Amino acid sequence: SAVISQKPSRDICQRGTSLTIQCQVDSQVTMMFWYRQQPGQSLTLIATANQGSEATYESGFVIDKFPISRPNLTFSTLTVSNMSPEDSSIYLCSAGGGADNQPQHFGDGTRLSIL
Amino acid sequence: LAKTTQPISMDSYEGQEVNITCSHNNIATNDYITWYQQFPSQGPRFIIQGYKTKVTNEVASLFIPADRKSSTLSLPRVSLSDTAVYYCLPRRGNTPLVFGKGTRLSVIA
């Protein structure tokens, strides 16, 4: 199964700044996704990171706020832009799935606190 | 993807078998059922996946009846380290997983 590494694992940021979260997968994968999880809550899908094209965002999430890059089949970044305290959350990268019935795997997340 | 319903929480004593049932009345023909486990400060971890009947691995068993409107995750002889949130999720091809609230399992000594 794919091993997913995220950096940083946690950060404390000032409001108005931006932070880029990196996600590295140890094997080539077709599908990569970004989720958000508030403490004690379930995961919410932010977007699908498409290799070679723009990400596909879910309702309530926009590219200007959460730009995503997917330069190749093993790497993706999520930027949280112009942060406010409401952006304090855990951001998780996921990879896998697809038509061959392989399960999706998850990184351990980036815990972000905005002051 | 089909909406799922599972108990919000369950308690169990160590050594007991735990069965968590999930209902998914509107599951589509080509959807699989997957179960994930999540510990605090970790991402969800894949446990098991099935389409119909019974699937067993080294961690759990998954029972899916013929009508596929529900599924039951069975954890044999739980220990304190099985305390976690368990998610039941329909899965279809390239469609990303959509998480419900999950079941918070507390194992008591």
Side-chain angles (χ1 to χ4, degrees):
Chain A
S1 61
V3 176
I4 300 171
S5 304
Q6 282 186 237
K7 287 196 296 189
S9 59
R10 59 177 62 231
D11 208 339
I12 301 172
C13 301
Q14 297 294 323
R15 69 176 69 200
T17 63
S18 299
L19 179 76
T20 296
I21 302 168
Q22 298 180 4
C23 177
Q24 180 74 53
V25 188
D26 69 342
S27 58
Q28 291 188 342
V29 290
T30 305
M31 312 297 294
M32 291 185 75
F33 311 97
W34 288 96
Y35 290 80
R36 183 169 75 179
Q37 186 173 30
Q38 307 279 17
Q41 305 292 316
S42 184
L43 284 77
T44 300
L45 179 66
I46 297 172
T48 299
N50 300 309
Q51 199 261 328
S53 63
E54 229 173 61
T56 306
Y57 290 85
E58 298 299 305
S59 175
F61 298 96
V62 294
I63 187 171
D64 289 346
K65 178 68 174 176
F66 298 101
I68 288 170
S69 79
R70 176 88 193 271
N72 56 49
L73 292 175
T74 64
F75 187 78
S76 178
T77 67
L78 170 76
T79 299
V80 186
S81 302
N82 188 24
M83 290 183 284
S84 65
E86 293 71 37
D87 296 319
S88 296
S89 191
I90 301 167
Y91 293 85
L92 297 107
C93 174
S94 177
D100 59 357
N101 294 324
Q102 292 300 307
Q104 266 182 245
H105 296 285
F106 290 80
D108 283 336
T110 296
R111 185 178 294 270
L112 191 54
S113 299
I114 316 302
L115 302 178
Chain B
L1 290 170
K3 186 176 186 305
T4 60
T5 302
Q6 48 183 127
I8 296 292
S9 64
M10 295 179 70
D11 293 333
S12 176
Y13 287 102
E14 273 192 298
Q16 288 188 327
E17 177 183 78
V18 170
N19 296 310
I20 307 174
T21 296
C22 175
S23 67
H24 27 79
N25 290 321
N26 298 318
I27 190 148
T29 303
N30 52 346
D31 287 352
Y32 280 72
I33 295 297
T34 60
W35 284 80
Y36 283 74
Q37 174 192 56
Q38 187 178 27
F39 299 113
S41 301
Q42 294 186 23
R45 182 175 74 100
F46 171 79
I47 301 174
I48 198 166
Q49 173 176 282
Y51 184 82
K52 206 187 294 188
T53 65
K54 179 181 174 181
V55 179
T56 298
N57 62 22
E58 64 277 6
V59 176
S61 294
L62 177 60
F63 302 91
I64 304 173
D67 65 8
R68 301 194 343 111
K69 292 185 177 182
S70 67
S71 59
T72 298
L73 176 74
S74 181
L75 304 172
R77 295 183 300 281
V78 294
S79 64
L80 295 176
S81 62
D82 292 316
T83 294
V85 179
Y86 292 82
Y87 295 98
C88 159
L89 301 139
R91 196 183 81 74
R92 183 187 307 164
N94 292 331
T95 306
L97 295 173
V98 176
F99 284 75
K101 295 186 188 306
T103 297
R104 188 173 297 274
L105 174 66
S106 298
V107 180
I108 308 161

